[in-house]
Amino acid sequence: SSATEKLAAVANKNGTGVWVIAHEFGNNNYKAFLFTSSGLSNTVTSSIGISHSGNTSHGIGCMKFSPDGTKLAAAIYTNEDKVELFSFDNSTGSVTGNLKQYQLGQANDNPYGISFSSDGKLLYVSCWSSSNSNGHVYQYNLADPTNTAFSVATGSSSTFGAIQLGPDNKIYVSRFSTPTPVSVLDVINNPDVIGSGCNYVASQVNLSPGKSQGGLPNFVEGLDRSVTVSPDIT
């Protein structure tokens, strides 16, 4: 009855349905619901990680599964300035094993968007950075024991909103700017590559007359990668 804005979904292990997962506000409870042709069932509660409580802005931030459904990452927007990485059991719906906790590179980075690379080995985090006008996009190598952030992009008089892995295995990045919104999306063209080789290109997709703001469509990443992408956004 009291939830954060985090919402993600992933196919279950035997392919009979989809786990839909949310996070309660005021505690550290992840709630997983199995959605099949019979409807919603099997509510699974996992109490783990940082409590999303206090100021309501603690409920802000995205949550994503890795494409193979074995990991779950959550962005904790304010005060904490952290991203948590967990294991996920897609046969039972349980969030387990607090694998890593990433402290963002600068104070008040305010992590918001989050997405795994298509191979699940790298994690990208976009920062709204409410304390200044220059947001960041960070890359984390999940195999790096030092948990070091690599900055792949810094906004110029803009902050970053949601990021999303597309069916072409590129990651699309929304930007937020006031008072004049921008009409473009940035793109990480090779997100499976560590460091600058990921090829971050600003303003690669023209949305005009549309505008880029905070959000992007939320869908089940990794469920169907056979979608043909229009040539104008490749």
Side-chain angles (χ1 to χ4, degrees), residues 9 21 55 80 102 191 202 214:
I21 191 165
N55 190 302
E80 296 286 351
Y102 297 109

Side-chain angles (χ1 to χ4, degrees), residues 14-15 72 100 112 121 123 139 146 154 158 174 197 210-211 217 231:
N14 61 15
L72 179 69
K100 289 180 180 287
Y112 179 75
K121 296 180 179 180
L123 184 67
Q139 179 198 78
T146 68
T154 300
S158 65
S174 63
K211 305 294 182 184

Side-chain angles (χ1 to χ4, degrees), residues 2-85:
S2 180
T4 71
E5 69 176 8
K6 294 173 173 60
L7 187 68
V10 68
N12 69 342
K13 190 168 185 177
N14 61 15
T16 61
V18 172
W19 288 106
V20 180
I21 191 165
H23 197 290
E24 290 185 335
F25 184 75
N27 55 45
N28 66 340
N29 291 339
Y30 288 88
K31 308 286 284 191
F33 307 88
L34 183 62
F35 183 71
T36 68
S37 57
S38 300
L40 287 172
S41 62
N42 290 32
T43 304
V44 178
T45 301
S46 301
S47 300
I48 190 171
I50 295 172
S51 177
H52 298 198
S53 57
N55 190 302
T56 55
S57 58
H58 284 192
I60 296 174
C62 299
M63 179 168 60
K64 292 285 182 68
F65 285 102
S66 58
D68 66 0
T70 64
K71 298 180 184 70
L72 179 69
I76 317 298
Y77 178 74
T78 56
N79 293 353
E80 296 286 351
D81 286 326
K82 292 177 180 176
V83 170
E84 290 194 295
L85 178 68

Side-chain angles (χ1 to χ4, degrees), residues 2-208:
S2 180
T4 71
E5 69 176 8
K6 294 173 173 60
L7 187 68
V10 68
N12 69 342
K13 190 168 185 177
N14 61 15
T16 61
V18 172
W19 288 106
V20 180
I21 191 165
H23 197 290
E24 290 185 335
F25 184 75
N27 55 45
N28 66 340
N29 291 339
Y30 288 88
K31 308 286 284 191
F33 307 88
L34 183 62
F35 183 71
T36 68
S37 57
S38 300
L40 287 172
S41 62
N42 290 32
T43 304
V44 178
T45 301
S46 301
S47 300
I48 190 171
I50 295 172
S51 177
H52 298 198
S53 57
N55 190 302
T56 55
S57 58
H58 284 192
I60 296 174
C62 299
M63 179 168 60
K64 292 285 182 68
F65 285 102
S66 58
D68 66 0
T70 64
K71 298 180 184 70
L72 179 69
I76 317 298
Y77 178 74
T78 56
N79 293 353
E80 296 286 351
D81 286 326
K82 292 177 180 176
V83 170
E84 290 194 295
L85 178 68
F86 303 98
S87 295
F88 182 74
D89 188 334
N90 58 5
S91 61
T92 66
S94 296
V95 180
T96 61
N98 197 334
L99 298 178
K100 289 180 180 287
Q101 189 179 94
Y102 297 109
Q103 181 70 54
L104 272 291
Q106 299 183 28
N108 299 311
D109 257 337
N110 303 130
Y112 179 75
I114 198 164
S115 189
F116 289 87
S117 58
S118 62
D119 62 8
K121 296 180 179 180
L122 302 176
L123 184 67
Y124 291 85
V125 181
S126 62
C127 299
W128 198 273
S129 300
S130 60
S131 65
N132 59 71
S133 61
N134 294 324
H136 297 88
V137 178
Y138 295 112
Q139 179 198 78
Y140 292 91
N141 180 355
L142 303 188
D144 180 4
T146 68
N147 298 342
T148 302
F150 177 80
S151 179
V152 299
T154 300
S156 178
S157 300
S158 65
T159 60
F160 295 98
I163 59 178
Q164 182 68 271
L165 179 67
D168 56 358
N169 292 332
K170 298 180 181 182
I171 291 179
Y172 294 83
V173 183
S174 63
R175 279 197 279 138
F176 182 85
S177 179
T178 57
T180 305
V182 297
S183 297
V184 293
L185 293 177
D186 298 351
V187 181
I188 305 173
N189 288 285
N190 305 110
D192 292 348
V193 178
I194 297 172
S196 59
C198 69
N199 188 17
Y200 190 104
V201 178
S203 307
Q204 184 169 335
V205 178
N206 186 353
L207 301 176
S208 184

